[in-house]
Amino acid sequence: MSDSVDRLYLEERRLVRRYGPVKSVLLNSLFIFVIFYASWWIFQDPRGLMRMYTPYVGYMWCRWLLVVMIWVAYLFDFWPFKKEWLYKANPIKKGIIFTIIVFFTFFVFLKVFFEFIMGELAISYFSPRRLAELGITDFYALEYAAQAILMFAAIASWIGPSWVVASENSPWERLKQPVKGFSVFVLTFLMSFIVYFVFFHSQMGILFDPWQKYTSITPPWWHNFADTVHGNFNIAWIMCCTVMVWVYETIWERYPFNLIRTDWTRRAAAFIGIIAMAFCIAFFFYYLQELIWGEHIRGDRRLYAPDWRWLHVGEIAIFWLVPVLFLKFYCNNGVNQFSKPVNILLRTMITIVAAVILYYVYYQISHFLLGTQKGFSHPQQFPMIPMIWFINVMLINYWFMDGWPGWKLDGKREEEKEHLDDFGNKNALLGMLIGVIIGAIIYFIVVFLAPTVGNVLTIFK
């Protein structure tokens, strides 16, 4: 990005540890686990106070809180708050203020935009009140509306940060806030609308009897290829897009696309490259399930159903995102002493191993601790909800509270003038060739070992 472009507050600030590495990590881990569990009990837990884990109502809230946090920190760069205030304010005070803003913003957005403008004036399924009036039970009216609204959030949580990270806010990167933020917001919101109607509207059209063939494509256009009419097929690759944006931004440090020196080529390659990698990961995760549990059966339910397996692709991806963000936020990416490609390779391997452990532990204990149902594919088992809720807590701590209590703000960070090769360099081309060979070897090793490892890790027979 050009030197004349304002850096985000999150890029500009310098955080330092208050204590030793181990103590800082343990302090922050304890803090976010306490906040996570207390807030989970208050808002989400089926045995708790508000019991929003219906599951779609709780799912909608945690996805939209994530989107609004991205708007606050990445699109609007904390506008209308001035950076001078951000550097001086107490981290706990900032955490409370921005958390209230995030909750309030989504509440207003939910009631005004989705339930009134969309639900009362345009499309009935966005309004639980209108669905109930049409004869659907109150529970399903609320669940159907929440499902539609959260699907919009799934898209927005990919496209919004992707335009900032991959496209570098182009063509508005030199504008000031709030013009820059509103410009990116309007564009990404419009793109999310188009993607929603192409990839999810048909899913809503088949929820009702008879299928709404005059207002949506029924059966959905993807049903022959995906072996299901369910929109989970699109949830799979879109969730992988969301995860890849943050992998690219954090532990990959925007590598390798930052090697491209021409602005528009770099931005286009990064935006499209994230989607391409997400597709590869999505289909690979689906293939792994076929290797471990056997071939899917169209029309079957739960573990063998294609719609659940596509959903589980997104769930597997989100298990990876948790250690990715933890490694970036609280361990300064962990591995920094080698060349950038080696650092990135080692970080990626570390986070994949951590994700497998998290996956195994989650299915062992979640029904005790979180009040979810036991099993992989139960309709009440949605690991994306607690995982995203946990990520939201980490973002509040790291983005809004500057990593308190283990970390503290220490002024501005010097801009790093990092020397990077480009793709025309002989060594870079050799590195790409070696990377392709190593990637192919890893792929065949994983495919060979997947059935055995899967059987070892399968908790519920």
Side-chain angles (χ1 to χ4, degrees):
M1 194 178 291
S2 170
D3 291 343
S4 62
V5 177
D6 289 340
R7 289 187 294 171
L8 293 172
Y9 167 73
L10 296 179
E11 296 173 339
E12 185 183 85
R13 68 179 181 174
R14 181 171 182 266
L15 299 181
V16 295
R17 283 191 295 267
R18 291 175 182 270
Y19 314 99
V22 176
K23 187 175 179 181
S24 292
V25 170
L26 290 178
L27 261 179
N28 278 77
S29 300
L30 179 63
F31 177 74
I32 58 178
F33 271 107
V34 168
I35 297 297
F36 164 76
Y37 201 71
S39 59
W40 179 265
W41 177 262
I42 294 170
F43 293 101
Q44 298 278 4
D45 197 314
R47 306 158 302 183
L49 297 180
M50 298 179 68
R51 305 180 184 185
M52 293 165 66
Y53 188 99
T54 59
Y56 279 118
V57 173
Y59 193 8
M60 172 190 70
W61 268 90
C62 73
R63 289 306 298 250
W64 268 105
L65 294 179
L66 172 65
V67 172
V68 177
M69 280 192 274
I70 292 168
W71 289 350
V72 170
Y74 264 68
L75 268 63
F76 287 93
D77 195 17
F78 297 94
W79 180 86
F81 294 88
K82 294 185 180 300
K83 285 190 177 178
E84 292 77 12
W85 182 84
L86 294 173
Y87 279 105
K88 293 177 181 176
N90 181 284
I92 301 174
K93 180 181 173 183
K94 284 195 295 186
I96 293 172
I97 290 174
F98 285 118
T99 302
I100 292 173
I101 289 174
V102 167
F103 270 84
F104 180 74
T105 301
F106 175 56
F107 179 77
V108 173
F109 206 67
L110 172 67
K111 294 299 177 184
V112 175
F113 178 74
F114 281 116
E115 292 190 3
F116 177 69
I117 297 177
M118 294 298 295
E120 298 295 333
L121 307 177
I123 303 174
S124 298
Y125 63 65
F126 281 109
S127 169
R129 187 198 66 79
R130 187 169 286 276
L131 287 181
E133 279 187 356
L134 292 171
I136 295 178
T137 62
D138 289 345
F139 174 78
Y140 280 107
L142 190 58
E143 289 291 275
Y144 285 179
Q147 185 180 0
I149 297 168
L150 81 87
M151 285 179 169
F152 197 97
I155 303 163
S157 63
W158 151 47
I159 294 180
S162 191
W163 201 265
V164 178
V165 171
S167 301
E168 302 169 6
N169 281 321
S170 179
W172 305 288
E173 66 272 21
R174 289 178 176 79
L175 297 179
K176 301 294 182 184
Q177 295 291 357
V179 179
K180 177 164 63 176
F182 277 113
S183 301
V184 177
F185 170 80
V186 169
L187 174 69
T188 56
F189 203 77
L190 175 62
M191 292 172 67
S192 300
F193 242 112
I194 296 171
V195 174
Y196 173 84
F197 279 105
V198 173
F199 295 99
F200 285 118
H201 180 62
S202 293
Q203 153 70 17
M204 300 306 298
I206 63 171
L207 286 182
F208 306 98
D209 185 23
W211 287 1
Q212 310 297 294
K213 63 181 181 180
Y214 294 109
T215 59
S216 59
I217 305 300
T218 59
W221 54 264
W222 59 80
H223 79 102
N224 281 327
F225 176 76
D227 251 358
T228 176
V229 295
H230 204 288
N232 281 344
F233 166 67
N234 297 309
I235 283 283
W237 66 266
I238 288 175
M239 274 307 304
C240 290
C241 284
T242 302
V243 171
M244 283 312 305
V245 170
W246 295 110
V247 170
Y248 174 69
E249 169 71 346
T250 55
I251 64 172
W252 287 10
E253 301 178 81
R254 303 191 182 187
Y255 186 89
F257 299 112
N258 59 355
L259 299 180
I260 303 173
R261 294 177 180 174
T262 306
D263 288 346
W264 75 267
T265 311
R266 177 180 64 252
R267 292 163 182 166
F271 193 85
I272 297 170
I274 286 171
I275 299 173
M277 289 186 287
F279 264 97
C280 293
I281 291 173
F283 282 100
F284 184 62
F285 286 165
Y286 193 90
Y287 181 45
L288 280 181
Q289 295 179 73
E290 301 279 279
L291 289 173
I292 295 170
W293 290 320
E295 190 175 356
H296 68 265
I297 302 171
R298 181 165 184 161
D300 203 344
R301 303 177 65 184
R302 299 187 61 173
L303 197 66
Y304 287 90
D307 63 293
W308 180 79
R309 291 197 177 180
W310 287 117
L311 174 67
H312 200 53
V313 165
E315 293 170 346
I316 295 170
I318 208 70
F319 276 112
W320 184 27
L321 184 58
V322 174
V324 164
L325 295 180
F326 190 92
L327 188 70
K328 167 63 180 177
F329 292 172
Y330 305 116
C331 304
N332 194 27
N333 271 336
V335 183
N336 298 291
Q337 61 268 45
F338 306 107
S339 65
K340 181 156 284 188
V342 175
N343 287 339
I344 290 170
L345 175 64
L346 293 176
R347 292 171 196 164
T348 305
M349 294 172 68
I350 290 169
T351 53
I352 289 174
V353 171
V356 172
I357 295 171
L358 177 62
Y359 180 97
Y360 183 78
V361 171
Y362 173 84
Y363 283 108
Q364 285 278 15
I365 65 173
S366 67
H367 47 289
F368 294 123
L369 295 180
L370 305 177
T372 61
Q373 290 294 322
K374 189 176 183 180
F376 283 112
S377 56
H378 191 280
Q380 287 287 319
Q381 178 59 276
F382 271 74
M384 272 198 269
I385 303 175
M387 291 301 114
I388 295 174
W389 196 259
F390 190 79
I391 288 170
N392 289 346
V393 173
M394 281 201 292
L395 294 180
I396 289 171
N397 177 245
Y398 187 74
W399 285 358
F400 299 164
M401 302 177 68
D402 302 317
W404 185 89
W407 295 74
K408 65 179 180 181
L409 195 58
D410 186 34
K412 296 181 181 179
R413 189 173 58 184
E414 295 292 327
E415 286 194 74
E416 297 175 2
K417 300 295 183 184
E418 188 178 20
H419 173 72
L420 292 170
D421 289 331
D422 59 27
F423 282 121
N425 184 290
K426 185 175 68 175
N427 292 331
L429 295 175
L430 179 62
M432 287 177 60
L433 178 62
I434 294 173
V436 169
I437 294 172
I438 293 175
I441 292 172
I442 292 174
Y443 172 81
F444 286 110
I445 291 174
V446 171
V447 169
F448 178 75
L449 295 177
T452 304
V453 175
N455 284 329
V456 172
L457 295 178
T458 296
I459 303 164
F460 310 105
K461 303 291 184 182

